[in-house]
Amino acid sequence: MISNPGFSFKNIVGKHQILPSMEYELPAWGSLYEDAIVCVGSPKLKDIYSEAKPLSKEENSIALKFASINIDDNDEILDFCNKYGLLTSSYIFANFRNSYIFFNDTKAGFSQRIPLPYQEREWVITYKKSVITMRFLIELDTAVRARNYQRIAEILCYICLDLTCLEFENNDESLPTRNTETYQYRHSFTMCATRHGYVQFFSDLNPDITEYILHFADDLLIDVELEKQLLRPRQYLQFDYPMWHHLTALFYGIATQAHIFVHPLGKVEFSKSFKEIDLSNYIKPETLIALGRAAISDIFKEHLHTVFPEIEYANGLPSASWRIPTLLDAMFLELFFRFSPIGEIRKCADPKCGKFFEWSPSKPNQKYCDNICAMRVAKRNQRARERERQKKELSE
């Protein structure tokens, strides 16, 4: 589907284990943050992406492998880490300056010589949430194309209203660095929930966020009214923009008719069937599609805002390269190249698989990631038909 995207990325890899966070200077903020993935083996630099290896097939896609990880299987998580390293690396971060030039070394070579006071590590929950974000990005694109309004609404609830992120400090009212409308909305909603009694990182978090949605909608309307009365300048200017306005209408429309439960690991539930929730007075179907598209655009912006071209030197000669801070950024860059107007990324139709594959118009009937899954489903359906036939014969 695509040609060589033209970027390379090296990461620190080694043997990994899941160990208690507190042993590695990571605070255990409630039950969600008790465990860390730690590089316990000798780390080494490894080519993860290379310009010499085109990414034209989904079999070569590290991003699609990552999005397909079963987050309930720690062995699967560790296997990915052992092959490709952690999502972030202090070695890589430490080499974003030009120091390597003054030591007559390559950037990759210099990265291996940087001393660190601690082992490479990150929270398990942060890793799992990154998997969910990438998976939801792909599923949101599928839902928008299929006009699946319920799935669009569920994913928007998670990426805009999840209160268990580590992105914001409770007392930080400043605008976030990744200044997208979706990110600002999540930031402002978290701050509002905190003012109305939510305690961030509380171990017994109630996933029912309905009251905070209603509080936030009220705060936005009060903000507009106070400005009209010349009592204070607006705090939420983004509410004038279509995305914030329609997101609030969507969430408010659901919250006035049902409870909304947003679980930390991606599950979103409504207390009544989505078909029973009447949103006709709050948001139009086409507007919900537009919200999905806007969120897709923002997720890419948030994960690529630190990726940009740079000149690297090797043996005194310049070469064009990309400054990519983390493996997560590199995978989103790969996924960015894989998004195409003539094809799309789909989830395997085998409910027991969970992998993603690149669908294209040249194979319009493809539903499975490979022939193995197609055969497995066919045999499963055949056995089901046989059981149904036997049951019918016995009843006669």
Side-chain angles (χ1 to χ4, degrees):
M1 183 188 300
I2 62 170
S3 60
N4 191 327
F7 76 96
S8 60
F9 178 76
K10 298 177 184 289
N11 201 30
I12 298 294
V13 300
K15 183 69 175 177
H16 295 80
Q17 290 182 6
I18 294 179
L19 300 167
S21 297
M22 292 298 287
E23 294 182 12
Y24 295 91
E25 302 176 3
L26 291 172
W29 279 315
S31 59
L32 291 178
Y33 293 88
E34 289 179 346
D35 297 319
I37 307 173
V38 182
C39 183
V40 296
S42 300
K44 60 181 180 180
L45 205 63
K46 176 183 176 181
D47 277 327
I48 305 299
Y49 288 96
S50 172
E51 294 182 14
K53 298 176 182 178
L55 300 171
S56 57
K57 295 182 180 180
E58 62 269 13
E59 290 85 1
N60 300 326
S61 172
I62 300 171
L64 296 188
K65 291 177 185 176
F66 180 71
S68 302
I69 288 176
N70 178 4
I71 59 174
D72 295 323
D73 188 340
N74 286 342
D75 289 338
E76 197 169 325
I77 293 173
L78 291 175
D79 182 61
F80 188 91
C81 293
N82 292 338
K83 289 180 180 177
Y84 306 108
L86 293 176
L87 298 182
T88 60
S89 169
S90 299
Y91 284 92
I92 305 300
F93 274 122
N95 199 18
F96 273 164
R97 297 183 178 86
N98 293 324
S99 302
Y100 75 97
I101 297 176
F102 297 92
F103 289 86
N104 295 320
D105 201 348
T106 63
K107 177 170 280 194
F110 190 70
S111 294
Q112 299 178 84
R113 298 162 49 186
I114 297 172
L116 290 179
Y118 47 74
Q119 292 166 289
E120 298 271 75
R121 72 279 193 275
E122 64 186 57
W123 278 290
V124 174
I125 184 66
T126 302
Y127 192 96
K128 291 181 177 181
K129 282 180 172 290
S130 297
V131 174
I132 292 167
T133 299
M134 184 170 288
R135 183 181 300 161
F136 278 6
L137 170 64
I138 297 170
E139 291 185 6
L140 184 56
D141 178 63
T142 300
V144 166
R145 293 174 188 258
R147 305 183 72 83
N148 185 340
Y149 303 118
Q150 177 175 345
R151 191 58 182 146
I152 294 172
E154 290 170 348
I155 294 175
L156 288 175
C157 281
Y158 183 78
I159 65 176
C160 294
L161 306 176
D162 173 29
L163 289 172
T164 59
C165 294
L166 261 180
E167 298 166 295
F168 319 119
E169 294 293 339
N170 283 346
N171 58 356
D172 181 12
E173 294 286 350
S174 61
L175 285 178
T177 303
R178 292 179 284 183
N179 206 17
T180 69
E181 292 175 78
T182 305
Y183 194 90
Q184 289 180 29
Y185 196 96
R186 188 162 66 247
H187 175 269
S188 298
F189 176 71
T190 302
M191 297 302 104
C192 174
T194 302
R195 289 193 297 272
H196 288 280
Y198 169 70
V199 181
Q200 199 167 16
F201 315 128
F202 186 57
S203 58
D204 296 325
L205 172 68
N206 182 356
D208 186 349
I209 60 169
T210 312
E211 66 169 302
Y212 303 124
I213 295 172
L214 299 177
H215 282 310
F216 190 45
D218 288 342
D219 282 3
L220 292 172
L221 294 174
I222 290 171
D223 191 46
V224 173
E225 189 60 33
L226 288 175
E227 184 189 50
K228 288 181 180 179
Q229 298 178 21
L230 303 178
L231 296 177
R232 74 176 189 197
R234 289 275 297 280
Q235 292 180 313
Y236 301 107
L237 294 176
Q238 303 93 332
F239 193 47
D240 285 339
Y241 304 147
M243 189 171 187
W244 267 50
H245 189 81
H246 294 306
L247 280 174
T248 303
L250 169 65
F251 300 144
Y252 183 80
I254 298 173
T256 54
Q257 302 175 65
H259 284 265
I260 301 176
F261 303 91
V262 176
H263 298 265
L265 295 180
K267 186 178 181 181
V268 176
E269 298 175 297
F270 306 131
S271 61
K272 63 168 64 174
S273 169
F274 189 76
K275 294 180 180 179
E276 298 179 71
I277 300 173
D278 183 7
L279 295 176
S280 59
N281 292 328
Y282 299 94
I283 190 168
K284 297 178 181 179
E286 288 302 321
T287 304
L288 188 52
I289 296 294
L291 280 177
R293 290 171 177 159
I296 290 170
S297 176
D298 276 358
I299 292 173
F300 273 117
K301 290 174 187 174
E302 289 176 22
H303 288 88
L304 297 178
H305 78 289
T306 55
V307 174
F308 51 81
E310 70 171 349
I311 293 295
E312 285 190 15
Y313 282 87
N315 300 320
L317 299 176
S319 62
S321 183
W322 288 90
R323 180 188 185 272
I324 305 174
T326 72
L327 173 61
L328 186 62
D329 295 329
M331 290 190 293
F332 270 99
L333 183 59
E334 181 212 322
L335 205 60
F336 172 81
F337 284 111
R338 288 186 180 276
F339 267 58
S340 166
I342 61 171
E344 60 185 280
I345 299 171
R346 291 185 176 181
K347 192 173 184 177
C348 182
D350 181 358
K352 295 186 177 181
C353 175
K355 293 181 180 179
F356 294 91
F357 67 94
E358 288 187 40
W359 176 91
S360 69
S362 63
K363 297 181 180 179
N365 297 322
Q366 184 180 359
K367 299 191 297 182
Y368 305 99
C369 62
D370 56 29
N371 291 332
I372 295 176
C373 281
M375 292 173 61
R376 184 188 297 123
V377 173
K379 289 182 178 179
R380 195 181 301 145
N381 292 339
Q382 183 180 4
R383 288 194 297 268
R385 288 193 298 269
E386 183 64 23
R387 286 194 298 270
E388 191 64 29
R389 185 186 64 80
Q390 292 175 355
K391 187 186 298 183
K392 186 176 180 181
E393 289 177 353
L394 290 172
S395 63
E396 293 175 350

